Amino acid sequence: MNKKTLEELNEKRKKKGEPLLQNCRNAAAGSIRQLDSKIAAERKLDNFIYHLPDPEDYNLNTHSEALDFMKKLGFKMNPNNRLVKSIKEVIEFINEKGKIRKDLPYDIDGVVIKVNNIKEQQKLGYTAKYPKWATAYKFPAEEVLTKLKDIIFTVGRTGQITPNAVLDPVIVAGSTISRATLHNEDYVKEKDLKIGDIVSIRKAGDVIPEVVEVKKERRTGSEKDFVMIENCPMCDTRLVKKEGQVDYFCPNKNCPARHMEGLIHFVSRNAMNIDGLGDRIIEDFYNFHFIESIVDIYSLKEHKKDLTRLEGFGEKSITNLLDAIENSKNNSLERLLFGLGIPHVGSKTAKLLSMHYETLDNLMNAEMEELTNIRDVGEIIAKSLKEYFEDERNKEIINKLKEIGLNTNYLGEKIEVKEEFLGKTFVLTGSLEIFTREEAQEKIEQFGGKTSSSVSKKTSAVIVGKNPGSKYTKAQELGIPIWTEEEFEKRIS
Ligand SMILES: [Zn+2]
């Protein structure tokens, strides 16, 4: 459908009070779907011919000859084609057409590059779906017109309020778009958007759709002004705006939106590492009530149908996401432990605890004193763990995760007890050369021992590197066994 045809059609529709057609592509597709062929005929659909089957039957040896041949026969051919001899010329052609694209009487989304020689085409052949002798180049960031049906508000994980455009679904760069972020109140006012406006949208960076501008000449007078909300759409608390900032926030520390922070942490790289569940997607899923707690992540598969309706979610990305979620059930304990977001339990502490206790149940049953005996686990961490595991709500979450089938065992390198190290305390001093200090500490722990920073009567042995200091002297005074680094290496091997 020509751009001009669309304009004429819309003028007629406007007079009749019918809804306007948004763009040529949708209008053409809609025309073809008309059950009444008379209506389809009125739509003045047009075409170009691009392909002649079996050109050799007409003694034609190249694609360009075939195009000339069809033109002579009277078919409507696209004059914007060119026989080129190098990739450089292909690129020049693309750049040239990219510039005149807006002036063409019809919409294009790219250029097709074909091998000219028919024999070479035959040699190259086809995949199951496409010829290997032709390829499409798509122009970036196509702008498409659509209707702004509504503006809805979502709450981010920090309480930030974002207005979102609800659009009449439209295809942009190959995918259906029905929502776009409007960032904040100022953005909406600057663009002077009204509900019911025709707007041009594009996909920035091919991912996030954005509203480019409003077509004011298309206004009918029935558009509604944008009104910024005053209360949080989740908890109804009055919104605040910090001085000099553009965004409104929900100040309620207990606003359900804040739960998102925990969800984002749970799926993050060092925690459950669920690929495909980015911050924005969590925010979307939260606002659509697909995910409200970490337990819900594992029942996302029940929403498969709804997911396909969301932006940026094709069949394939949904399958990948659901697979990633399923796979995360097999993660080693330390990932789950870190993911729970227990205060003061970082990923290193989670690893240390998992290594020592091997199962979540063991850890949950551990006594305060036992916990504080582990290196780097002080009273603060031990107390935090006890408090977390004693909370009924947390117990319920853990039970549900177990029911779902999440692994709660440690699957990493095991503590391999050696008599010489089990339950004993070691002190490292001087500069080590074979191991880093960290490695030496890990080895000692791996065999059931622990390290201390000061020498006392309770010290089992002091491991001495180059240039040892006062700890070495004290060990000698107390008659504590002294190991060189080489000796330590022999004992752990
Ligand atoms: Zn709120």
Side-chain angles (χ1 to χ4, degrees):
M1 182 176 285
N2 268 314
K3 291 173 185 171
K4 195 147 190 267
T5 309
L6 181 75
E7 269 174 44
E8 288 166 3
L9 263 176
N10 273 340
E11 238 156 75
K12 276 187 206 160
R13 293 174 76 92
K14 206 171 173 178
K15 275 180 198 154
K16 285 193 213 159
E18 289 170 352
L20 303 186
L21 302 165
Q22 284 153 10
N23 60 59
C24 293
R25 185 176 179 155
N26 283 12
S31 305
I32 291 169
R33 280 198 300 267
Q34 289 293 330
L35 293 174
D36 184 349
S37 60
K38 267 186 209 150
I39 297 176
E42 281 169 12
R43 295 286 179 90
K44 291 191 200 164
L45 291 179
D46 209 339
N47 67 58
F48 287 125
I49 305 299
Y50 287 99
H51 183 70
L52 175 69
D54 304 320
E56 284 178 314
D57 293 356
Y58 311 94
N59 289 321
L60 302 168
N61 299 315
T62 66
H63 181 66
S64 54
E65 281 170 27
L67 294 180
D68 291 341
F69 173 70
M70 288 190 286
K71 192 178 173 189
K72 268 182 212 147
L73 291 179
F75 285 108
K76 189 166 181 181
M77 308 305 291
N78 190 334
N80 287 294
N81 73 72
R82 188 182 302 160
L83 180 60
V84 294
K85 304 236 189 258
S86 66
I87 285 296
K88 191 171 163 265
E89 284 182 57
V90 170
I91 295 166
E92 277 168 13
F93 180 84
I94 287 171
N95 289 339
E96 205 178 285
K97 296 303 164 198
K99 274 181 205 145
I100 64 151
R101 182 182 168 198
K102 288 268 173 290
D103 307 323
L104 289 172
Y106 47 88
D107 290 331
I108 61 168
D109 67 348
V111 164
V112 176
I113 303 122
K114 293 176 179 173
V115 169
N116 195 38
N117 188 302
I118 304 297
K119 283 239 156 50
E120 284 175 4
Q121 285 187 2
Q122 287 162 352
K123 230 187 218 170
L124 286 162
Y126 291 78
T127 68
K129 282 181 182 168
Y130 309 102
K132 288 183 183 173
W133 45 267
T135 190
Y137 171 84
K138 299 270 184 185
F139 291 119
E142 171 199 20
E143 283 181 26
V144 175
L145 295 184
T146 190
K147 189 177 186 177
L148 175 63
K149 289 201 298 191
D150 199 1
I151 295 175
I152 58 164
F153 297 88
T154 53
V155 193
R157 63 188 185 284
T158 55
Q160 186 180 333
I161 308 295
T162 307
N164 295 272
V166 179
L167 305 162
D168 244 357
V170 69
I171 294 169
V172 188
S175 59
T176 305
I177 301 300
S178 57
R179 267 185 60 192
T181 176
L182 297 174
H183 306 287
N184 52 57
E185 182 189 20
D186 288 4
Y187 184 90
V188 180
K189 288 191 168 155
E190 196 183 300
K191 298 239 180 241
D192 189 21
L193 297 177
K194 289 178 193 282
I195 292 158
D197 269 339
I198 297 297
V199 293
S200 70
I201 60 163
R202 71 166 171 225
K203 281 208 305 189
D206 238 19
V207 203
I208 308 158
E210 63 171 14
V211 173
V212 184
E213 60 176 1
V214 53
K215 299 287 171 193
K216 285 186 187 161
E217 68 277 11
R218 300 274 295 262
R219 279 189 179 154
T220 61
S222 62
E223 293 78 14
K224 272 186 270 161
D225 285 338
F226 165 77
V227 183
M228 185 64 201
I229 49 166
E230 290 176 349
N231 293 338
C232 174
M234 279 209 189
C235 70
D236 209 34
T237 303
R238 194 164 181 90
L239 300 177
V240 294
K241 189 173 177 178
K242 286 180 199 131
E243 229 185 273
Q245 289 198 342
V246 288
D247 296 308
Y248 277 93
F249 283 87
C250 168
N252 178 7
K253 290 263 178 289
N254 297 315
C255 177
R258 307 272 168 150
H259 294 166
M260 279 186 268
E261 197 78 71
L263 294 170
I264 288 164
H265 172 75
F266 185 78
V267 303
S268 67
R269 190 170 297 269
N270 286 328
M272 296 301 270
N273 192 25
I274 300 176
D275 237 11
L277 267 186
D279 297 9
R280 248 200 77 98
I281 291 170
I282 293 260
E283 286 183 2
D284 267 2
F285 286 3
Y286 196 87
N287 279 289
F288 288 125
H289 305 291
F290 294 159
I291 297 179
E292 281 169 351
S293 83
I294 55 178
V295 174
D296 298 333
I297 293 171
Y298 293 94
S299 46
L300 254 186
K301 54 189 172 211
E302 287 153 29
H303 292 288
K304 205 170 170 183
K305 261 226 173 83
D306 302 312
L307 295 183
T308 53
R309 286 189 216 116
L310 291 180
E311 237 76 282
F313 268 95
E315 190 73 36
K316 203 175 166 207
S317 51
I318 293 171
T319 307
N320 287 346
L321 173 62
L322 295 178
D323 282 352
I325 290 171
E326 278 306 298
N327 289 338
S328 77
K329 288 183 181 175
N330 304 321
N331 282 343
S332 184
L333 172 61
E334 71 274 18
R335 287 187 173 278
L336 174 61
L337 189 56
F338 176 55
L340 290 174
I342 303 166
H344 307 292
V345 178
S347 62
K348 263 187 110 176
T349 307
K351 172 97 194 237
L352 208 64
L353 290 166
S354 303
M355 219 167 150
H356 270 269
Y357 288 98
E358 294 189 4
T359 72
L360 187 56
D361 286 338
N362 286 347
L363 175 64
M364 287 173 80
N365 294 326
E367 295 299 328
M368 272 293 280
E369 208 194 319
E370 246 181 279
L371 288 165
T372 48
N373 271 336
I374 301 168
R375 174 175 67 95
D376 291 346
V377 179
E379 213 152 283
I380 293 172
I381 295 174
K383 221 174 140 194
S384 177
L385 282 164
K386 290 304 307 166
E387 270 172 17
Y388 184 89
F389 290 132
E390 271 160 18
D391 188 314
E392 285 304 321
R393 284 166 302 181
N394 296 333
K395 275 188 196 165
E396 200 187 311
I397 288 171
I398 289 167
N399 281 336
K400 276 190 183 154
L401 291 176
K402 280 183 186 167
E403 269 169 39
I404 291 162
L406 260 76
N407 170 55
T408 55
N409 296 325
Y410 175 64
L411 307 173
E413 214 174 318
K414 289 250 161 71
I415 293 182
E416 182 193 328
V417 174
K418 270 188 195 275
E419 272 308 313
E420 241 175 319
F421 289 88
L422 182 65
K424 295 184 178 164
T425 308
F426 298 83
V427 174
L428 297 156
T429 180
S431 54
L432 303 183
E433 284 168 340
I434 303 169
F435 303 97
T436 64
R437 204 157 267 243
E438 189 93 322
E439 281 166 356
Q441 286 177 336
E442 271 175 21
K443 286 288 173 197
I444 291 165
E445 277 161 15
Q446 202 182 314
F447 296 130
K450 64 175 198 166
T451 53
S452 166
S453 55
S454 62
V455 178
S456 74
K457 278 184 202 161
K458 285 182 189 164
T459 308
S460 309
V462 174
I463 298 155
V464 182
K466 281 248 167 80
N467 306 317
S470 60
K471 288 177 197 168
Y472 176 59
T473 325
K474 192 165 183 197
Q476 281 177 317
E477 280 168 18
L478 293 172
I480 287 161
I482 289 161
W483 297 354
T484 60
E485 208 183 349
E486 287 78 14
E487 199 175 343
F488 171 65
E489 193 189 20
K490 231 182 270 170
R491 287 175 194 260
I492 61 169
S493 66

